[in-house]
Amino acid sequence: MPITAIPTCSAYCSAHSTETALVKMVDDILGCMDSGSVAVVVGLDISAAFDTVCHQTLLGRLEAEFGIHGVSLEWLASSLSDRTISVRVGKSCSAAVPVHVGVLQGSVLGQILFTTYIAPIGRLIEQHGMHCHKYADDTQLYTSHTVPAGSSLDHLARCTSELQHWYWANGLLLNPTKSELAFFGTKQRLQRVTLPANITVAGSSDSTVC
């Protein structure tokens, strides 16, 4: 069974959870192994994801890609503007500082806004023939490969590189300590996988064979 080609998201959706995300990925990986291939999974984690969303970029994306305009867009712009932040310790409180980036992680609206903010990465991943499953700020990027893989993994390197540059351009930063590359397959097939030297994830070239 090949990996399904439809990018999915298990966060902030009715009847979806970390459990459905795990079941989806395990099913795809096992199907890949049953078909005689090796599953290659790249786990991406964004540092302080909700706190670094650019308001102007977000509003432009809501209008251009999701057709939100007029009063609705003005209402969203108003909800993001004139926000301040301060730190309180006991009876002491710092001066209020204007906030020009970020959405509220604990709010329903903040979760929806963040999901729309990173929506374009689905198209970028598809352009490279890869698949993904998203949960909040975590993205699992994966594909299947016949062995020996070798140079056929070059497109994976290009995809991860373009993703990293997309995050940079949109004010987001991948966390190298929580982003990783892993291979899943039978012992015999994994022994025949040759890792290209140029595959890096968030600046790290660490990989795991499972």
Side-chain angles (χ1 to χ4, degrees):
M1 177 188 293
I3 293 176
T4 55
I6 302 176
T8 53
C9 178
S10 291
Y12 320 131
C13 299
S14 177
H16 286 71
S17 64
T18 53
E19 182 178 355
T20 56
L22 182 60
V23 169
K24 171 66 168 60
M25 286 207 61
V26 170
D27 182 67
D28 281 343
I29 289 172
L30 292 178
C32 177
M33 294 170 62
D34 288 342
S35 67
S37 301
V38 169
V40 186
V41 180
V42 177
L44 302 174
D45 180 83
I46 307 173
S47 298
F50 284 74
D51 298 331
T52 56
V53 171
C54 174
H55 293 169
Q56 292 304 315
T57 302
L58 172 61
L59 293 171
R61 189 157 294 150
L62 287 170
E63 183 174 22
E65 298 196 26
F66 294 91
I68 299 176
H69 50 80
V71 175
S72 297
L73 189 64
E74 292 174 4
W75 178 79
L76 288 170
S78 176
S79 70
L80 295 170
S81 62
D82 298 325
R83 289 187 176 275
T84 60
I85 187 172
S86 60
V87 178
R88 179 181 294 276
V89 179
K91 296 182 179 180
S92 300
C93 184
S94 68
V97 177
V99 176
H100 303 292
V101 295
V103 293
L104 297 177
Q105 185 170 358
S107 67
V108 174
L109 181 59
Q111 297 167 353
I112 296 174
L113 292 177
F114 179 78
T115 300
T116 58
Y117 189 74
I118 64 170
I121 68 172
R123 293 194 302 271
L124 190 156
I125 292 170
E126 285 183 335
Q127 289 172 2
H128 290 274
M130 310 288 291
H131 313 296
C132 71
H133 196 94
K134 294 181 288 185
Y135 192 93
D137 59 336
D138 294 318
T139 300
Q140 307 301 320
L141 171 69
Y142 54 101
T143 188
S144 60
H145 284 280
T146 56
V147 291
S151 60
S152 63
L153 290 173
D154 287 345
H155 75 284
L156 175 59
R158 291 192 295 271
C159 183
T160 56
S161 177
E162 288 190 22
L163 271 174
Q164 189 168 26
H165 282 84
W166 186 92
Y167 285 126
W168 286 339
N170 287 270
L172 303 173
L173 182 65
L174 289 176
N175 187 343
T177 63
K178 294 183 179 180
S179 300
E180 58 185 358
L181 170 69
F183 291 79
F184 297 86
T186 63
K187 181 178 180 180
Q188 293 77 13
R189 295 187 189 116
L190 289 173
Q191 289 176 341
R192 299 174 59 195
V193 174
T194 302
L195 277 177
N198 60 342
I199 287 189
T200 59
V201 179
S204 175
S205 58
D206 292 339
S207 61
T208 303
V209 177
C210 304

